[in-house]
Every structure is written in C-alpha cells, then in structure tokens.
Amino acid sequence: VRMRSRIPVILLACGSFNPTTNMHMRLFELARDHLHHTGQYQVIEGIMSPVSDHYGKKGLVSARHRVAMAKLALETSDWIRVDPWESEQDTWTETVKVLRHHYNEALRAFQSKKEFMRNKHPTESSAEDSFSCQHPVLPELKLLCGADFLQTFKTPNLWKEEDIKEIVEKFGLVCISRAGSDPSQLIQESDLLSKFQHNIFLVREWIQNEISATQIRSALCRGLSVKYLIPDSVIAYIAQHSVYNEGHLLQPLRLQNTTIN
C-alpha cells in the first residue's frame, strides 16, 4: 500500500554499452535503492539505450552486437530491459530526444492501461479503480548516469544549453558518483544545475567498482580473462561472434567459450 502512493519512475541510461558490463547493471540497482529510500518514488522499469553506430566513437562495434550483448546481460534482471530504438536511428540522436521518445512511450502505455481499467469495470468499478482513474500518477522518466557524464556538461559546444535545461528541469538526473569525483561541486559551479538541483539525485557508490568497458575491450584484445567482470552469456557471445578481434578468435577466448557452453 505504501508503494502505491509513490511516484512511479522509469530509469533510462544512454551509452555505448560496448560491451555491457556488470558495472552498467549495478548503476541501475544503486539508483533504484536510492530512489526507494527517499520514500517518494517507486522505480517501475529500467531501460538501457545503446547509442547508434553513427555516434562515431573509436572502437564502437555494431549496434546489432551491442544490443544482443545487452539483452543477454539483462536476462537475469526482472526490471531492466534493453531498448533498441536509439540504436536503430539512422543518425546520431541527442540524449534529450531519446528522453522525449521514451517519455512519450511511457505516457502512451499509461493511457492505454487507464483505458483498459475503465473498460474492465465500466459500471461497477471498484473504489480502488475509480480512485486510480481520478488521481492518475503519471510516471516520471529520469536519466541515469555516472558522475563523469555531469562533467561533460562543462565541455564547450558539446551540449546545447536548452537541452541541459530540459533534461534537468523536465526529466531529472540520477547520478552515481565514484570515489574521487565530486558532482555536488560541479552542480554548485553551474547556475543552471544548481537552480534545478532538487531534480538531481546524487547516489554514492558504496562499493568501489572501476570496471570500464574500455579496459574490458583491451583485455579481450590481449587475450586476458574477463570472467566475473561481464556476464558469462556476454563472454560466450563475444567469443562466438569474434566481436572484439576482427575475425580471428584468440586462443584464451576459444578455451573460455568451450568451458561455458
């Protein structure tokens, strides 16, 4: 009952996910715990949105592989899913447009659910149903990011001022900070961010976890083991499709793959 009065929240993370690591998934768990502990929110869904191939980042493997790896990684989650929409766009899509798209999708789902409830009990709807129709709680969509993402707001010409404003004012940010980074100082130094700091949730990462996809790719190319850093299903996929080593399969990966399957 207590959860019912809370604001439903969807968490959206945009990124390369090249490949999806255990750390990417931990960010969602940390954010959900933090929002639940505020007593105000109930996280109803997490969405991982891999960037399209047009992002132009060095070493970015095709979206087809990145979406497939994210799907495999998230098979063990009952609330986070990968959404291929952004990855399927034929140009690079600004983060704010990705947020708008998913917010509109959430509203559409919300409306059809309301319609369904109304049609289910057209005459004698229960008190609870009529209450939910009279007082609909619209879901909120928040952008989930690491502290290094906040830092990019300061990079000249990287962001449009009005996009930053829309992200922090209309949607909100849940920012996971690592040891050695101080996002609160970043917020204080920016007039725009400090104006909307009530909509920026800073979450302390309570276990230091420095897994980076870049390091994972470099380890894979050198034939080092990445077990327990990324899910076994993703390791098997990388081996099967020779994702990070241009067509030839490194011996340690070949050995690792035979032990997994």
Side-chain angles (χ1 to χ4, degrees):
V1 177
R2 215 160 48 85
M3 276 291 195
R4 183 158 289 159
S5 58
R6 296 182 178 209
I7 301 162
V9 171
I10 298 164
L11 293 169
L12 172 73
C14 298
S16 303
F17 303 109
N18 184 31
T20 300
T21 70
N22 290 350
M23 185 58 224
H24 289 137
M25 297 183 285
R26 278 298 301 158
L27 294 182
F28 280 95
E29 298 290 332
L30 289 161
R32 180 169 75 157
D33 282 345
H34 180 87
L35 290 176
H36 283 179
H37 282 133
T38 64
Q40 277 183 284
Y41 300 99
Q42 182 194 355
V43 175
I44 55 170
E45 187 178 35
I47 301 171
M48 209 179 253
S49 178
V51 77
S52 85
D53 294 342
H54 304 279
Y55 186 48
K57 196 175 179 182
K58 187 179 180 292
L60 191 67
V61 301
S62 97
R64 180 175 65 89
H65 286 316
R66 290 181 289 111
V67 168
M69 291 187 286
K71 271 186 181 151
L72 287 167
L74 293 170
E75 274 176 351
T76 54
S77 175
D78 58 0
W79 67 282
I80 314 164
R81 64 180 176 88
V82 61
D83 192 296
W85 181 82
E86 182 187 355
S87 73
E88 288 164 354
Q89 302 310 298
D90 46 19
T91 56
W92 168 73
T93 312
E94 288 105 322
T95 302
V96 74
K97 288 182 181 165
V98 182
L99 279 158
R100 283 180 206 148
H101 164 80
H102 286 292
Y103 185 66
N104 291 334
E105 289 291 297
L107 286 188
R108 211 168 289 140
F110 178 78
Q111 296 300 348
S112 57
K113 193 175 171 187
K114 242 172 59 174
E115 284 299 307
F116 173 75
M117 292 308 282
R118 225 180 260 128
N119 296 336
K120 207 169 77 164
H121 307 283
T123 45
E124 39 149 9
S125 61
S126 69
E128 191 186 301
D129 286 339
S130 58
F131 178 78
S132 67
C133 288
Q134 286 163 23
H135 303 277
V137 185
L138 283 171
E140 289 187 11
L141 177 73
K142 300 197 181 300
L143 183 64
L144 171 61
C145 63
D148 45 353
F149 178 86
L150 265 192
Q151 190 78 42
T152 68
F153 284 163
K154 288 177 72 177
T155 311
N157 307 319
L158 189 63
W159 289 89
K160 295 181 193 140
E161 187 85 354
E162 65 266 28
D163 284 5
I164 299 178
K165 183 174 188 289
E166 187 177 339
I167 289 170
V168 290
E169 180 181 22
K170 183 182 171 184
F171 299 106
L173 282 175
V174 183
C175 178
I176 315 287
S177 65
R178 294 179 167 188
S181 65
D182 186 10
S184 53
Q185 193 188 334
L186 261 174
I187 293 166
Q188 296 319 314
E189 287 166 1
S190 155
D191 292 342
L192 184 56
L193 295 182
S194 48
K195 183 180 177 186
F196 297 107
Q197 64 182 333
H198 60 278
N199 220 1
I200 302 174
F201 299 84
L202 298 181
V203 185
R204 272 258 164 246
E205 195 181 350
W206 53 266
I207 188 145
Q208 281 195 32
N209 192 333
E210 296 298 321
I211 301 173
S212 88
T214 312
Q215 290 169 322
I216 296 228
R217 288 195 303 277
S218 117
L220 285 167
C221 289
R222 294 201 308 257
L224 303 174
S225 164
V226 291
K227 197 171 170 66
Y228 309 120
L229 299 175
I230 62 177
D232 284 352
S233 54
V234 177
I235 294 176
Y237 182 93
I238 290 168
Q240 192 188 338
H241 298 271
S242 306
V243 181
Y244 293 106
N245 39 27
E246 281 76 79
H248 69 279
L249 196 53
L250 297 169
Q251 191 58 30
L253 255 184
R254 200 181 285 128
L255 293 171
Q256 229 173 359
N257 195 34
T258 53
T259 58
I260 288 166
N261 292 334

